[in-house]
């Protein structure tokens, strides 16, 4: 192994920031579309997944599994606790409350579908779900930036890039029917293999 002069903890922190930067670069194209419901290829593909999710919501009568959260997904809260050496609420990221609020929206797909009898058309339900996911992700971004700036002035200059990276990550990795545990609508059973059933 080559000597780098860095301690293992310092290498881990630099690796995490490097990984976060890489994720940001990869996902920036997906996250770049902040229109109400963008019309590009990715958005059309996502709309198909929202449609499949709404079928699962209807099959469940809008009833979800009990709410669960891992704080900030993708291992962010767990890694933050490990690096801080603290456990529980005190050891999480200063913006973890934002992630939990975001998880509540993701868990039940913001209540769209079975819990919203005012919207019954399947196409409109999928569009409403897609808009709600975008709004939830944008709210997460604003909340992370605000909380990180306010709670830790020593790293306030990183608040905007960190919030942008987290936003990019959830836009890229949080689509419905992805099979991931943090997907939009994770409180419903996973979508069946074919979204056109």
């Amino acid at each position: 192994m080559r000597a780098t002069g860095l301690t293992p903890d310092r290498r881990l922190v630099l690796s995490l920031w490097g990984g976060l930067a890489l994720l940001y670069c990869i996902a920036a194209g997906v996250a770049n579309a902040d229109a109400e419901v963008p019309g590009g290829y990715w958005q059309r593909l996502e709309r198909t997944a929202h449609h499949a999710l709404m079928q699962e919501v209807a099959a469940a009568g809008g009833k979800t599994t009990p709410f669960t959260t891992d704080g900030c997904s993708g291992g962010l809260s767990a890694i933050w606790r490990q690096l801080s050496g603290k456990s529980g609420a005190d050891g999480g990221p200063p913006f973890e409350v934002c992630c939990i609020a975001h998880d509540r929206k993701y868990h039940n797909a913001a209540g769209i579908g079975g819990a919203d009898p005012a919207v019954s058309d399947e196409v409109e339900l999928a569009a409403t779900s897609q808009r709600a996911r975008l709004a939830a992700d944008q709210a997460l971004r604003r909340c992370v930036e605000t909380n990180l700036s306010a709670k830790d002035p020593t790293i306030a200059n990183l608040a905007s890039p960190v919030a942008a990276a987290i936003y990019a990550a959830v836009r890229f990795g949080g689509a419905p029917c992805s099979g991931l545990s943090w997907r939009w609508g994770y409180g419903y059973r996973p979508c069946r293999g074919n979204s056109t059933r």
Side-chain angles (χ1 to χ4, degrees):
M1 182 184 281
R2 193 174 73 168
T4 62
L6 297 174
T7 65
D9 287 343
R10 184 92 169 134
R11 280 194 304 262
L12 177 63
V13 169
L14 290 175
S15 295
L16 290 173
W17 278 110
L20 195 58
L22 178 62
L23 177 63
Y24 175 75
C25 290
I26 292 170
V30 173
N32 210 15
D34 275 348
E36 186 176 311
V37 177
Y41 174 76
W42 174 261
Q43 291 75 24
R44 288 191 307 272
L45 184 63
E46 183 183 346
R47 179 74 57 91
T48 301
H50 282 277
H51 186 280
L53 172 62
M54 291 300 104
Q55 291 175 339
E56 296 302 333
V57 171
K63 187 163 174 58
T64 63
T65 60
F67 175 72
T68 59
T69 183
D70 59 355
C72 296
S73 297
L76 182 57
S77 285
I79 292 167
W80 199 289
R81 281 185 174 77
Q82 187 176 28
L83 291 174
S84 73
K86 299 176 185 174
S87 61
D90 292 338
F95 48 82
E96 190 171 46
V97 64
C98 305
C99 298
I100 294 170
H102 185 253
D103 282 356
R104 288 196 179 282
K105 294 279 187 190
Y106 262 57
H107 177 255
N108 72 348
I112 307 299
D116 188 0
V119 181
S120 60
D121 178 68
E122 285 187 16
V123 173
E124 183 56 32
L125 278 174
T128 301
S129 176
Q130 191 171 11
R131 285 189 299 271
R133 177 174 174 247
L134 178 61
D137 294 347
Q138 290 170 335
L140 173 66
R141 181 182 190 166
R142 288 188 303 273
C143 185
V144 167
E145 188 167 0
T146 300
N147 276 271
L148 193 54
S149 295
K151 291 187 179 178
D152 196 342
T154 60
I155 59 172
N157 60 334
L158 294 175
S160 185
V162 168
I166 289 172
Y167 175 77
V170 297
R171 293 303 299 158
F172 184 72
C177 302
S178 67
L180 298 171
S181 63
W182 55 77
R183 69 190 180 278
W184 178 255
Y186 72 85
Y188 297 102
R189 72 177 181 206
C191 300
R192 298 197 182 155
N194 184 339
S195 62
T196 60
R197 302 188 269 159

